[in-house]
């Protein structure tokens, strides 16, 4: 028996080394917080450049592969306050025409958060120098705190017939709380990124799948936007305070980088090798999702499968929804250079898209359309439905710059052009987006501190062309301390303010005078473990 155990141990010891490259130890151990090494992610120093650069992931040598199973567990204690964290009696409804809430609601300002993410991947190099690999990002879903049939949406038709249906609703006015076990067992895992790549030092890198485009690749470590000074919270990119309060507090992330509205659809991307610090790229995406959705079955949230060319198909190019962009292409370049102790980085991209067609090209949004279809109450949407309006294809510039010297980093990013909100098309006649962001951070040993602020002006609600525009601001300040390799302690304060005349951020109603302004703030103490 002893001989058998010794033999088994020897076999396990020999085969365990096959799962990693032969150049351990893990190079991410002992790293300090820095813009390039912000933690585990599907993007890495191996697959975000044509030629690998030094970074957190080991680079394979000819004839070897590096197999990764990185992960992250995030936890925090939070304290949040906002004008929309409580609702008065009769101010929300689960569906159009339904009975509004009979009682007011108030949210607890104190919370505890936790989520898990996994980043499996492989990087390999053939003996002829060809590099290849794949990366996946797996995240955790969360459901609301109510049982699934949450709200009796009672509506009365013109014939005085009352219809009651139970619907999962974003503004439920009745229902029973789910237990702690029910809340946790409703969580699911889903794939956020999944792509493969082929690369060579001479020809560049090609990536295909559910992945970042040029904007996300050029800013894959958040160098030009969120940075890494907050230890991995994510600050104003729909994280922190925004991620732990109702959806109306999410700012439209017009900068796109590091956000699912940019990397959540399938595309092909090409990057050239670097020439004197410059590299260039191009991308193409035929639709806003994954073509496999055209053969998907029904689920609790979808209307139904794509049995025939119809509105249920992700690749539809004409029909009844004019708000879809199609055949989107992007072009751009990036620069990285070091001059003595100063590092200068920058990028610029231009993106253009087509649009889905509807009969007549869609209804022109504007005051005349609002007057012809007025809101009948505080919960209704005035004007023609947004999916039937007239839109322009996307056409916008995005770029950023970052300067680092003696641990101090100044970064800025901007988006200008025909784009609305978070990667949507601008309605015809709507104002173009102007979004600006600036950040300042300082890293010294295991410590980092920073601040970031953004201002974004866009059309917002498509129905309000010629009536109002959306103005949003967000600011975050804080820092992090690396307790030990792989664990960060972070503290962050965030403030958000949003305004659009004649639009209710509480009910998404258009043509109403209430709920046009909301603001909120939050303080978070987070512990983040990466491996």
């Amino acid at each position: 028996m002893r001989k058998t155990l010794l033999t088994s141990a020897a076999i396990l010891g020999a085969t365990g080394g096959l799962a990693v490259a032969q150049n351990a130890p893990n190079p991410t151990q002992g790293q300090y917080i820095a813009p390039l090494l912000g933690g585990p992610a599907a993007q890495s120093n191996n697959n975000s450049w044509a030629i690998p650069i030094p970074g957190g992931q080991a680079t394979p040598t000819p004839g070897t592969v590096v197999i990764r199973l990185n992960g992250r567990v995030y936890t925090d204690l939070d304290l949040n306050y906002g004008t929309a964290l409580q609702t008065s009696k009769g101010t929300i409804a689960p569906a159009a025409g339904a009975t509004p809430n009979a009682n007011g609601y108030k949210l607890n300002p104190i919370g505890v958060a936790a989520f898990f993410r996994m980043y499996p991947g492989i990087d390999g190099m053939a003996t002829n120098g060809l590099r290849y690999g794949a990366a996946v990002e797996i995240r955790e879903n969360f459901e609301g705190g109510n049982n699934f049939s949450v709200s009796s949406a009672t509506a009365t038709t013109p014939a005085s017939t009352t219809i009651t249906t139970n619907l999962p609703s974003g503004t439920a006015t009745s229902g029973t709380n789910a237990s702690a076990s029910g809340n946790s067992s409703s969580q699911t895992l889903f794939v956020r990124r999944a792509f493969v790549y082929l690369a060579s030092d001479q020809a560049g890198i090609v990536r295909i799948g559910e992945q970042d485009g040029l904007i996300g690749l050029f800013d894959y470590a958040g160098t030009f936007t969120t940075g890494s000074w907050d230890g991995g919270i994510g600050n104003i990119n729909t994280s922190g305070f925004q991620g732990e309060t109702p959806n109306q507090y999410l700012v439209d992330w017009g900068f796109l980088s590091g956000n699912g509205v940019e990397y959540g659809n399938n595309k092909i991307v090409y990057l050239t090798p670097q020439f004197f610090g410059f590299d260039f790229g191009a991308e193409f995406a035929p639709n806003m999702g994954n073509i496999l959705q055209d053969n998907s079955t029904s689920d609790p949230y979808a209307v139904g499968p794509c049995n025939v060319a119809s509105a249920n198909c992700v690749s539809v190019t004409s029909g009844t929804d004019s708000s879809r962009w199609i055949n989107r292409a992007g072009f751009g370049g990036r620069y990285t250079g070091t001059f003595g102790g100063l590092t200068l980085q920058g990028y610029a991209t231009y993106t253009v898209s087509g649009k889905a067609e509807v009969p007549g090209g869609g209804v022109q949004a504007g005051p005349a359309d609002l007057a012809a279809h007025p809101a009948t109450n505080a919960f209704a949407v005035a004007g023609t439905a947004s999916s039937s309006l007239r839109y322009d294809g996307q056409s916008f510039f995005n770029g950023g710059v970052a300067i680092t010297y003696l641990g101090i980093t100044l970064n800025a990013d901007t988006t200008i052009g025909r784009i609305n909100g978070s990667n949507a098309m601008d309605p015809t006649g709507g104002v173009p987006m102007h979004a600006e962001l600036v950040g300042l951070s300082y890293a010294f040993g295991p410590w980092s501190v920073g601040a970031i602020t953004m201002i974004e002006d866009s059309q917002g609600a498509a129905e309000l062309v010629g009536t109002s525009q959306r103005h949003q601001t967000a600011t975050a300040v804080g820092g992090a301390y690396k307790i030990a390799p792989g664990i960060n302690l972070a503290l962050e304060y965030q403030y958000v303010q949003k305004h659009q005349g004649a639009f209710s951020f509480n009910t998404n109603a258009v043509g109403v005078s209430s709920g046009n302004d909301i603001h909120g703030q939050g303080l978070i103490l987070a512990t983040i473990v990466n491996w």
Side-chain angles (χ1 to χ4, degrees):
M1 173 62 100
R2 180 175 180 275
K3 183 177 181 180
T4 301
L5 291 174
L6 290 174
T7 302
S8 300
I11 293 173
L12 289 173
T15 57
L18 296 177
V20 297
Q22 301 301 311
N23 55 352
N26 184 348
T28 63
Q29 297 297 324
Q31 69 184 25
Y32 287 127
I33 300 170
L36 187 61
L37 305 175
Q43 313 287 72
S44 75
N45 49 290
N46 287 326
N47 60 36
S48 299
W49 306 75
I51 302 175
I53 64 172
Q57 302 295 345
T59 300
T61 56
T64 67
V65 297
V66 178
I67 299 174
R68 297 176 279 107
L69 189 59
N70 300 117
R72 169 178 294 175
V73 173
Y74 171 100
T75 64
D76 76 37
L77 300 173
D78 53 86
L79 180 64
N80 300 312
Y81 167 79
T83 54
L85 296 185
Q86 57 184 7
T87 54
S88 303
K89 175 183 177 180
T91 57
I92 58 174
T99 303
N101 57 308
N103 299 302
Y105 292 95
K106 183 178 180 180
L107 301 185
N108 191 339
I110 303 171
V112 177
F115 69 74
F116 159 75
R117 293 179 184 174
M118 185 176 293
Y119 304 90
I122 181 172
D123 299 301
M125 181 181 290
T127 54
N128 62 3
L130 175 71
R131 292 189 298 109
Y132 58 92
V136 177
E137 178 177 337
I138 301 172
R139 293 197 184 190
E140 187 177 5
N141 259 330
F142 300 94
E143 296 292 340
N146 223 342
N147 281 328
F148 190 73
S149 290
V150 295
S151 189
S152 296
T154 304
T156 303
T157 68
S160 299
T161 300
T162 300
I163 301 174
T164 302
T165 53
N166 288 327
L167 298 171
S169 168
T171 52
T173 57
S174 64
T176 305
N177 69 288
S179 67
S181 176
N183 283 324
S184 62
S185 62
S186 67
Q187 298 169 14
T188 61
L189 296 179
F190 68 101
V191 175
R192 198 63 158 158
R193 290 178 172 100
F195 63 89
V196 301
Y197 72 89
L198 294 171
S200 77
D201 293 355
Q202 296 73 36
I205 183 171
V206 176
R207 303 182 9 155
I208 185 169
E210 184 178 350
Q211 56 158 329
D212 300 69
L214 292 181
I215 294 173
L217 280 175
F218 288 163
D219 188 40
Y220 81 96
T223 305
F224 306 102
T225 52
T226 57
S228 57
W229 50 265
D230 66 357
I233 292 177
N235 53 70
I236 61 175
N237 182 4
T238 65
S239 300
F241 164 77
Q242 297 177 52
E244 298 174 356
T245 50
N247 280 345
Q248 69 258 54
Y249 281 109
L250 290 176
V251 297
D252 296 327
W253 188 245
F255 311 97
L256 301 185
S257 168
N259 195 289
V261 298
E262 194 272 343
Y263 61 71
N265 70 308
N266 283 21
K267 58 181 73 72
I268 183 169
V269 183
Y270 168 72
L271 296 177
T272 69
Q274 278 196 308
F275 304 96
F276 304 103
F278 291 92
D279 63 334
F280 304 91
E283 66 171 278
F284 176 75
N287 56 60
M288 299 174 68
N290 186 328
I291 191 62
L292 291 176
Q293 293 173 253
D294 278 357
N295 193 36
S296 63
T297 58
S298 183
D299 63 65
Y301 303 101
V303 176
C306 174
N307 290 327
V308 66
S310 66
N312 290 337
C313 306
V314 72
S315 62
V316 67
T317 60
S318 63
T320 59
D321 183 0
S322 58
S323 65
R324 300 174 187 250
W325 58 253
I326 59 173
N327 296 331
R328 189 168 112 154
F331 313 90
R334 167 175 55 183
Y335 175 76
T336 302
T338 302
F339 306 90
L342 184 146
T343 299
L344 175 63
Q345 301 175 79
Y347 79 97
T349 64
Y350 173 70
T351 303
V352 62
S353 81
K355 59 179 182 176
E357 299 295 334
V358 297
V363 176
Q364 176 59 55
D369 185 56
L370 287 179
H373 306 88
T376 56
N377 55 57
F379 313 109
V381 176
T384 300
S386 60
S387 60
S388 298
L389 297 176
R390 183 174 298 166
Y391 291 87
D392 297 334
Q394 290 184 334
S395 176
F396 64 91
F397 166 86
N398 171 264
V401 63
I403 302 172
T404 301
Y405 183 69
L406 297 179
I408 300 173
T409 297
L410 175 65
N411 62 281
D413 202 88
T414 186
T415 298
I416 301 172
R418 303 300 295 170
I419 181 176
N420 188 31
S422 297
N423 209 13
M425 292 193 300
D426 214 9
T428 299
V431 298
M433 173 178 286
H434 288 82
E436 298 84 26
L437 171 156
V438 64
L440 181 66
S441 61
Y442 178 50
F444 50 105
W447 295 90
S448 62
V449 294
I452 185 173
T453 188
M454 63 158 278
I455 299 175
E456 181 176 305
D457 293 292
S458 64
Q459 178 52 50
E463 299 91 344
L464 295 176
V465 168
T467 298
S468 68
Q469 297 85 44
R470 184 164 299 178
H471 178 75
Q472 303 173 93
T473 63
T475 299
V477 60
Y481 174 70
K482 184 168 186 176
I483 300 174
I487 181 170
N488 296 325
L489 184 67
L491 180 68
E492 181 175 285
Y493 167 81
Q494 185 175 158
Y495 177 81
V496 171
Q497 184 172 21
K498 303 175 71 172
H499 167 80
Q500 182 164 17
F503 177 83
S504 173
F505 290 99
N506 298 325
T507 63
N508 290 328
V510 172
V512 298
S513 58
S514 61
N516 304 155
D517 294 274
I518 62 170
H519 60 85
Q521 56 189 328
L523 184 66
I524 285 180
L525 177 63
T527 304
I528 307 164
V529 175
N530 301 314
W531 66 90

